[in-house]
Amino acid sequence: MPLTVAKTAGFCFGVRRAVDTVYEQLERISSTSSPKLFTLGEIIHNAQVVEELDSLGAVAVDSLEKLLELEEQLSQQNCPYIPVIIRSHGVPKKVYEALDSRSIPYIDATCPNVKRIQKIVEEQPEGTLVLIAGDAVHPEIQGIIGHCNVTFVTFTSAKELAEFTENHANLSKMNSVMVAQTTFNTSEWQKCVETAKNLYTNLKIFDTICKATLMRQTEAAQLAEVSDIMIVIGGRHSSNTQKLSDICSRFTKTIWVETARELLSGQADVVCQIDAGSRVGVTAGASTPVRIIKEVQKTMSEILKEEEMSFEEMLNQSFKSTYTGEKVKGIVTGIAPNEITVDIGTKHTGYVPLSELTNDPSLSTEDIVKKGDEIELVVLRVNDVEGTVMLSKKRLDAQAGFEKVMAAAGTGEVLSGTVTDVVKGGILAVTEGVKVFIPASLSGVSKNEPLEQLLKQKVDFVIREVNEKRHRAVGSIKDVLKEQKKVLEDKFWSEVEVGKRYQGVVKSITSYGAFVDLGGVDGMVHISELSWLRIKHPSDVVKVGDVLDVYVKDIDVENKKISLGYKKTEDNPWEVLKRDYEVGSVVTAKVVSMTAFGAFAQIIPGVDGLIHISQISNERINKPQDVLTIGQEVQVQITDIDFEKKRVSLSMKALLEDNAQEEAAEASEETTEVNE
């Protein structure tokens, strides 16, 4: 009798996460008292799992009021509050507020997909209508409603949505959003979408049905189409199991059982009607652990008593086992932000957490794989009870990667990696899935600079040493930089010549000049070469990091020294004077200093002229200070320029004489006019 077991049967990610959370908390709580912790409602809709957790000390409390009452009783007995775990279906916002106000410790095991819906409805602005496709009494929907701050309506079918809208026509013009219960029937959802689009003018639709639910329902329908009977396993209160049963029953005979015992009750007659060679399909709801599926397969084997291959043997074959440390190949079936799911050819749900997919924190799951990819993995942990297997790609990659790292040790081969951590004494860089320790002294970063500047940066390094037993490697960025610098130096010295221009970066500054990196070789611009003006310190003109256009003034090949020039001829103030001024020009000059024989005045920055004491006034003066003060601006005439000796003679008196002559001429003209 052919048997096909749906690959998607059993725990989904959200359910597995919630159940694992309870088990992990139970392991951490050392107290032998009972209860050890509370779950607000059944953690998942599976009576057998809930009973097992209850026996271990995880007691399900059916309401917030009852929970607060129990916690209050403990408080009165001077007992600490017992931790509370929020069920996978989620809870209303008021529950969090009540727990927080009483400082009751809790852990939120709400399915991330449900959390997303809660956030969507909670963020809707006033005046929005929220349409929720789902069962209004289901705890997931109750939790979603508890996060709504605006008008909402729930419905279970497109027909129900249409009837509601017909009776509340005024709501159809509101800004609306529509979401669905994560386990809502996918085919009915499509009908709801079409109906809503026709009825609501300002509608935004969020497809919030869990992708695992979509895959499970799609596979169940396909399997039911080619089977003579379908066995659906899951809790009676499980919404997604109910929908699986509904879907399968459209195509073939369907038996919905919660446990193997039910096959021995009234439904046994249906089972016994199966003819030899009939095709049997098996699927299970998202809250059904593998152990219950195995109990069903054992019972079916006893009922059918097949002569050739028993049902149990066939189902066991479909439950191909695996073990910790085994290397397997898997096909990527699902991608989430924090993990991927893979099919490794066993009945287990295979998953690879992002932390086991890569060591590179800058990568996401979608950066590494896509659906349908075949990847090699190693088994980390097998959980037959829950039907899951945790796998790792990075550890398998690391095994091969470490071999490559060992082969590179001491050879000078340059490896590339991304810096992931700053640790005591250095940094960690990942290459080929292997973490390589690079001491601070070999990082290429100077002592007074932070190593954090390398975080998430791609770096090149060589392997100095490896410890195969401890699976550790030590690398050096400094060695690579040193080799790169040597190559650049050799190239530079083979091409450099006096007069050649370079663009360099100011690397450091001293009191006597600035050192400029020309690309592997440093040259120095003396302070006198930084400006045509007199400066006190090189920092008056440049700072570290500035890009300068420089030229080679002198080369000392023996001592590997380069003298650089930075001043431009066209900026020479004497060239500016030659270009813009001539003897006889009248300018405004600023008195900058005085001597016994005259005053010096600045014509332009970098060029001062002398106003001899005899050229300051028409009258005899004893000293320049009798007429002038430092900082005073005066009108002067350039009377002489000696570019060779860089001297300029100025005269205030010449302008005074010119003015006197002009005034005398004007007076003469006025006298003539009067006589006439």
Side-chain angles (χ1 to χ4, degrees):
M1 180 178 64
L3 170 72
T4 304
V5 180
K7 293 179 180 179
T8 53
F11 276 3
C12 67
F13 163 73
V15 168
R16 183 181 73 244
R17 176 175 174 271
V19 173
D20 284 349
T21 298
V22 179
Y23 279 115
E24 288 170 4
Q25 292 306 311
L26 286 171
E27 289 177 3
R28 292 176 182 174
I29 299 174
S30 59
S31 171
T32 56
S33 62
S34 184
K36 294 182 179 180
L37 56 81
F38 293 127
T39 65
L40 189 49
E42 296 179 347
I43 192 71
I44 62 172
H45 275 153
N46 185 278
Q48 290 69 42
V49 172
V50 172
E51 288 173 7
E52 180 180 320
L53 293 175
D54 183 86
S55 68
L56 296 173
V59 176
V61 182
D62 58 7
S63 69
L64 174 62
E65 292 72 21
K66 181 64 175 176
L67 174 68
L68 297 178
E69 180 184 332
L70 291 172
E71 294 281 17
E72 182 62 27
Q73 291 174 4
L74 290 168
S75 177
Q76 292 174 359
Q77 297 169 14
N78 293 322
C79 296
Y81 284 128
I82 290 180
V84 178
I85 296 185
I86 306 297
R87 66 194 304 174
S88 60
H89 309 99
V91 293
K93 188 175 182 180
K94 67 178 183 180
V95 173
Y96 298 102
E97 294 171 347
L99 297 176
D100 287 334
S101 66
R102 291 167 174 78
S103 299
I104 297 174
Y106 66 88
I107 298 169
D108 196 351
T110 303
C111 172
N113 293 320
V114 177
K115 274 286 189 186
R116 174 176 173 249
I117 305 174
Q118 293 175 349
K119 184 177 180 182
I120 290 172
V121 301
E122 188 172 7
E123 292 178 345
Q124 297 311 311
E126 187 176 349
T128 303
L129 173 65
V130 177
L131 305 173
I132 307 173
D135 184 353
V137 299
H138 190 281
E140 179 184 322
I141 297 300
Q142 287 294 307
I144 293 169
I145 291 173
H147 287 267
C148 273
N149 302 312
V150 295
T151 305
F152 66 88
V153 59
T154 63
F155 52 92
T156 58
S157 65
K159 180 181 178 182
E160 190 175 331
L161 174 61
E163 290 174 351
F164 167 81
T165 308
E166 184 178 347
N167 296 326
H168 302 81
N170 60 312
L171 298 180
S172 63
K173 294 181 174 56
M174 292 179 63
N175 289 329
S176 310
V177 298
M178 187 165 79
V179 297
Q181 186 174 340
T182 56
T183 55
F184 198 72
N185 187 299
T186 52
S187 60
E188 187 62 36
W189 169 250
Q190 292 305 318
K191 295 177 185 177
C192 292
V193 169
E194 293 304 317
T195 299
K197 285 181 178 179
N198 292 330
L199 295 175
Y200 291 85
T201 54
N202 299 302
L203 176 66
K204 188 174 183 180
I205 299 172
F206 293 90
D207 186 355
T208 55
I209 295 178
C210 175
K211 296 299 183 287
T213 295
L214 175 61
M215 293 172 61
R216 194 186 309 272
Q217 292 181 3
T218 301
E219 187 181 13
Q222 294 171 344
L223 186 55
E225 280 187 293
V226 297
S227 299
D228 297 306
I229 188 169
M230 283 292 296
I231 299 174
V232 179
I233 311 169
R236 291 295 176 191
H237 300 296
S238 170
S239 173
N240 72 88
T241 306
Q242 170 70 63
K243 292 177 177 62
L244 286 176
S245 179
D246 292 343
I247 291 170
C248 293
S249 62
R250 297 175 194 164
F251 301 98
T252 188
K253 295 177 183 178
T254 300
I255 303 173
W256 179 4
V257 297
E258 191 172 89
T259 66
R261 289 192 298 273
E262 295 181 22
L263 290 172
L264 301 173
S265 60
Q267 299 196 67
D269 292 339
V270 179
V271 178
C272 291
Q273 293 174 11
I274 301 175
D275 298 325
S278 296
R279 295 164 297 180
V280 178
V282 178
T283 189
S287 302
T288 308
V290 168
R291 59 182 174 80
I292 292 181
I293 301 175
K294 287 191 172 184
E295 289 171 2
V296 171
Q297 55 112 11
K298 182 178 180 181
T299 302
M300 283 295 294
S301 179
E302 292 173 353
I303 292 174
L304 297 171
K305 299 185 184 297
E306 283 293 323
E307 294 182 0
E308 296 180 5
M309 180 181 283
S310 69
F311 188 96
E312 180 178 9
E313 291 171 325
M314 287 184 289
L315 195 53
N316 272 335
Q317 188 179 60
S318 71
F319 277 102
K320 177 186 173 184
S321 187
T322 186
Y323 57 88
T324 300
E326 182 183 9
K327 293 181 181 180
V328 297
K329 288 185 178 181
I331 303 297
V332 178
T333 58
I335 299 177
N338 57 339
E339 69 176 17
I340 65 170
T341 53
V342 293
D343 179 4
I344 60 171
T346 73
K347 183 59 186 70
H348 301 88
T349 299
Y351 68 101
V352 185
L354 178 59
S355 60
E356 291 297 334
L357 201 58
T358 177
N359 266 327
D360 191 339
S362 66
L363 298 179
S364 66
T365 50
E366 293 180 343
D367 294 329
I368 304 168
V369 295
K370 61 180 182 295
K371 283 187 179 181
D373 283 353
E374 182 180 71
I375 55 177
E376 291 189 350
L377 305 159
V378 62
V379 176
L380 295 185
R381 184 168 67 244
V382 180
N383 189 334
D384 284 325
V385 174
E386 309 305 338
T388 61
V389 56
M390 181 189 288
L391 304 137
S392 175
K393 179 179 183 293
K394 77 171 187 181
R395 301 197 192 194
L396 194 64
D397 292 343
Q399 292 176 12
F402 192 68
E403 293 176 3
K404 182 175 180 179
V405 169
M406 285 195 300
T411 65
E413 179 184 354
V414 178
L415 303 180
S416 294
T418 301
V419 177
T420 59
D421 299 279
V422 175
V423 296
K424 184 177 180 180
I427 58 175
L428 294 178
V430 176
T431 180
E432 302 291 338
V434 179
K435 284 190 174 183
V436 176
F437 175 66
I438 301 174
S441 60
L442 300 178
S443 67
V445 176
S446 60
K447 291 182 180 180
N448 58 343
E449 294 181 349
L451 291 173
E452 282 75 13
Q453 64 182 285
L454 295 178
L455 265 178
K456 298 183 181 180
Q457 298 298 314
K458 190 172 182 181
V459 294
D460 293 331
F461 51 88
V462 295
I463 303 300
R464 281 202 172 188
E465 59 182 83
V466 293
N467 187 321
E468 187 173 356
K469 289 183 179 180
R470 300 183 68 183
H471 216 69
R472 293 183 179 179
V474 177
S476 171
I477 297 174
K478 186 176 180 180
D479 290 353
V480 175
L481 296 177
K482 186 177 180 180
E483 183 60 31
Q484 290 175 345
K485 185 177 180 181
K486 185 177 183 305
V487 171
L488 291 174
E489 283 181 353
D490 291 344
K491 183 174 185 296
F492 177 88
W493 287 108
S494 67
E495 298 175 348
V496 68
E497 57 185 31
V498 173
K500 191 169 184 178
R501 304 196 73 87
Y502 291 91
Q503 190 174 72
V505 179
V506 178
K507 187 176 180 181
S508 62
I509 296 174
T510 67
S511 60
Y512 51 84
F515 286 90
V516 179
D517 182 2
L518 304 175
V521 174
D522 294 344
M524 191 191 78
V525 183
H526 191 269
I527 186 172
S528 62
E529 282 295 327
L530 285 171
S531 174
W532 289 103
L533 305 179
R534 190 172 296 176
I535 59 176
K536 294 181 179 179
H537 194 273
S539 59
D540 294 340
V541 179
V542 296
K543 61 181 181 297
V544 173
D546 282 353
V547 177
L548 306 182
D549 287 318
V550 295
Y551 61 92
V552 177
K553 286 194 68 179
D554 192 26
I555 304 172
D556 184 345
V557 178
E558 184 177 346
N559 295 307
K560 300 292 183 183
K561 290 183 178 181
I562 303 289
S563 295
L564 301 173
Y566 176 62
K567 294 188 299 188
K568 299 176 182 178
T569 302
E570 59 269 27
D571 294 334
N572 185 336
W574 288 95
E575 293 296 322
V576 174
L577 185 73
K578 182 183 292 185
R579 182 190 67 213
D580 298 338
Y581 299 88
E582 58 185 16
V583 173
S585 298
V586 177
V587 298
T588 300
K590 182 178 180 181
V591 178
V592 293
S593 64
M594 285 186 269
T595 67
F597 53 83
F600 286 95
Q602 183 186 81
I603 304 168
I604 58 175
V607 177
D608 296 342
L610 173 64
I611 312 174
H612 192 270
I613 191 171
S614 63
Q615 296 298 314
I616 292 177
S617 174
N618 282 328
E619 300 176 359
R620 180 180 178 83
I621 60 175
N622 295 320
K623 55 184 182 299
Q625 288 87 341
D626 292 342
V627 177
L628 302 174
T629 58
I630 300 295
Q632 180 181 354
E633 291 187 345
V634 294
Q635 289 285 310
V636 295
Q637 185 180 63
I638 299 174
T639 58
D640 187 43
I641 301 175
D642 187 338
F643 285 105
E644 185 177 343
K645 295 182 178 180
K646 289 185 171 48
R647 292 178 181 176
V648 180
S649 297
L650 303 174
S651 174
M652 294 172 60
K653 183 178 179 180
L655 295 179
L656 294 175
E657 291 175 348
D658 289 344
N659 290 337
Q661 291 175 2
E662 289 178 3
E663 291 174 358
E666 290 176 359
S668 175
E669 290 178 1
E670 291 176 358
T671 301
T672 303
E673 290 177 358
V674 170
N675 292 333
E676 290 177 353

